[in-house]
């Protein structure tokens, strides 16, 4: 079994590298890490996202700010289990 992990991001560049590192250190094999950039405007966040996009397991989705964090009610990371 592998998992896909979805990480919402809005100007969270200071925490992204550590978050992704911890996800990749899990014992369950990772199929992919999807980071949804919800319209970040912080230059540090955009730089971190650009660097992370070079990793083969990481996909970055950029969208206009849709207040995604309001929809997930405080959850920071989602895990999707697959086979």
């Amino acid at each position: 079994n592998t998992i896909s992990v979805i990480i919402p991001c809005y100007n969270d560049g200071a925490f992204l590298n550590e978050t992704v590192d911890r996800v990749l250190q899990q014992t369950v094999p990772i199929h992919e890490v999807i980071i949804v950039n919800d319209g970040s405007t912080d230059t540090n966040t955009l730089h971190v996202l650009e660097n992370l996009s070079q990793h083969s397991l990481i996909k970055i989705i950029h969208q206009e700010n849709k207040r995604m964090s309001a929809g997930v009610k405080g959850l920071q990371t989602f895990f999707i289990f697959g086979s």
Side-chain angles (χ1 to χ4, degrees):
N1 286 344
T2 62
I3 62 171
S4 294
V5 179
I6 302 171
I7 303 171
C9 172
Y10 178 74
N11 292 335
D12 295 322
F15 308 104
L16 274 177
N17 284 319
E18 181 180 359
T19 301
V20 170
D21 286 344
R22 288 179 185 242
V23 166
L24 295 175
Q25 291 173 9
Q26 298 304 304
T27 57
V28 176
I30 304 296
H31 174 69
E32 64 185 349
V33 176
I34 302 168
I35 302 173
V36 181
N37 174 28
D38 192 34
S40 294
T41 57
D42 173 62
T43 55
N44 179 57
T45 298
L46 297 173
H47 179 72
V48 170
L49 288 168
E50 178 63 30
N51 287 339
L52 288 171
S53 72
Q54 305 304 311
H55 193 288
S56 62
L57 293 178
I58 299 174
K59 297 177 182 167
I60 311 292
I61 297 173
H62 297 279
Q63 67 180 26
E64 290 183 28
N65 186 275
K66 295 182 180 179
R67 303 184 59 87
M68 176 180 49
S69 60
V72 297
K73 306 235 185 251
L75 295 176
Q76 296 300 315
T77 306
F78 303 88
F79 296 92
I80 300 172
F81 294 89
S83 53

